[in-house]
Each structure stands twice: as structure tokens, then as C-alpha cells.
Amino acid sequence: LHVFACEWNPNALFALRHNIQDNCIEEDRVTILEGDCRTTVSGALDKARRVQAQSLSSDNGKDVYQDTLLLRGVDRISLGLLPSSEGGWETAIRSLRRDVGGWLHIHGNVPQSERNQWIQWVCIRLFEIACNEEEEEEEEEPTKGKTQMISTGKGRGNEIEMDQEALAKARELVSQAKKRQEKKKKQKKNKKKKKKET
């Protein structure tokens, strides 16, 4: 288990480092990315790619492993910024594992009466972001589409819980969005095919 901790609050960073030490957590189990995750995660990924490219000439396998760990992607991401964590969604989706996807724990302040509509909107927004990411990566390397990993589920404990009707509606909206995306891909493919023929 390895944790990437993104934090920009100096007081929270102090508490984080104290808790890591106080709970006797090994230093190589946690990587602290200090600052705005939208820039620190990108920076860490760039560094990991550079290290990976130079790994054949490196003698320290452990350091290489630690530095390139983020390239494998992460299983769970907690997006705890309130009142809205939307600013970090794109970075979060980009950081998920490419082979099996992962979980996004999304926090947001929403009026009780708008809860189900918000969840439906979140599902669509995440799908749109995943589609954009997939299009950018498509030509670089074949990978399992992240758009196939977007699904909805029930929260546990005090987390948001959708009633069955709202859950069905969210799934329907995502399904419709997937169909539109597939249609768009086919049109793009046909356009490229016609261009080659002429």
C-alpha cells in the first residue's frame, strides 16, 4: 500500500507529517505532494516518466520503483475539497489505474433537495472528462478506455445514497452519453477513412 497525499494548507501539512511520524508509518509508504494537486501531480508524473526513461542506467532499483510508482495509477482518490472538488476531477481521472480503473470519493456541498440531480450531473461530467482523456491518449498507445469504467453506485455510512429511481436515471444518462461518444468515434473514423481514400 502506498499513499500519495496532496495538500496545500501549511497547517494540514504540519499535521500530516506529525501523524505519519506519530503513527510509525514508514516514510516510503507515503509521498507528500505539497501544493495544488492540479500542478503537483502533473509534475510528479513528468518526473516519473523521466526516471523511467533513465531507469536502465540506474543502479538504485528501489529509488526508481518509488519514483515511478505514480505511473502505475492509483486505486482510490479522495476528493475532499469543499464546497466543491470539481477542480481536481480531471487530475483524478488522469491518475487512475489504466488497466482496471478505480474509485473516486467525491465531496461537495449540495442542498438536500438537489442531491440526486447533482449525482446525475457528476456522472455525466466525469464521463465527459474521461472521454477527453481517452481521445488524447488514443493515438499515443492502446489502452482500455476509461469511459468503460465510469459507473454509479451507492454510498455507505453517512455518504450520499441515491434512491433506486435516481440511480437508474444516472445510469441511463451515462449510457446515453456512451452511445453519443461511440457515434462520434465512428464518424471520426469514417472521416479519416474517406480522407485516406481521396
Side-chain angles (χ1 to χ4, degrees):
L1 176 67
H2 191 92
V3 174
F4 291 92
C6 302
E7 184 55 66
W8 59 14
N9 183 318
N11 295 325
L13 280 163
F14 176 82
L16 173 63
R17 292 188 173 99
H18 171 77
N19 287 331
I20 290 170
Q21 187 175 8
D22 198 48
N23 288 284
C24 302
I25 298 171
E26 297 173 14
E27 287 185 10
D28 61 358
R29 291 283 189 182
V30 182
T31 298
I32 298 175
L33 300 176
E34 186 174 343
D36 188 333
C37 70
R38 291 170 293 185
T39 54
T40 57
V41 171
S42 296
L45 284 168
D46 288 342
K47 178 186 175 184
R49 291 188 188 99
R50 287 196 302 272
V51 171
Q52 187 180 55
Q54 299 167 359
S55 62
L56 292 175
S57 60
S58 174
D59 295 326
N60 197 333
K62 184 178 178 182
D63 286 346
V64 169
Y65 173 77
Q66 286 298 126
D67 287 340
T68 59
L69 199 55
L70 189 57
L71 288 179
R72 296 173 53 199
V74 297
D75 299 295
R76 289 179 181 267
I77 300 174
S78 177
L79 295 153
L81 187 63
L82 294 173
S84 174
S85 59
E86 186 182 358
W89 296 356
E90 188 176 325
T91 300
I93 286 180
R94 193 181 299 126
S95 303
L96 289 173
R97 286 181 58 177
R98 294 167 186 251
D99 52 351
V100 295
W103 287 85
L104 299 182
H105 300 269
I106 296 175
H107 294 203
N109 289 348
V110 186
Q112 181 72 16
S113 60
E114 299 174 13
R115 184 181 64 175
N116 288 334
Q117 294 93 323
W118 180 78
I119 294 172
Q120 291 165 11
W121 170 76
V122 167
C123 292
I124 294 299
R125 186 72 191 101
L126 292 177
F127 181 78
E128 289 171 349
I129 294 170
C131 285
N132 291 335
E133 284 297 311
E134 190 175 274
E135 285 179 5
E136 288 177 11
E137 296 171 357
E138 206 169 43
E139 295 180 3
E140 294 178 14
E141 58 178 338
T143 179
K144 181 177 180 181
K146 287 179 181 168
T147 56
Q148 300 303 314
M149 303 171 195
I150 302 296
S151 62
T152 56
K154 267 196 160 187
R156 287 178 285 180
N158 292 323
E159 296 175 8
I160 290 176
E161 291 191 8
M162 296 174 69
D163 58 43
Q164 290 303 309
E165 185 179 345
L167 181 58
K169 182 64 178 174
R171 285 179 174 155
E172 182 188 340
L173 290 170
V174 171
S175 177
Q176 290 171 1
K178 284 182 179 179
K179 287 177 183 177
R180 288 195 298 272
Q181 182 65 15
E182 286 302 317
K183 187 178 178 181
K184 185 180 173 184
K185 280 186 178 180
K186 283 181 182 177
Q187 289 173 343
K188 192 177 179 181
K189 191 176 180 181
N190 290 335
K191 193 175 179 181
K192 283 184 179 179
K193 190 177 179 182
K194 285 180 182 178
K195 194 176 180 181
K196 283 183 180 179
E197 290 174 354
T198 57

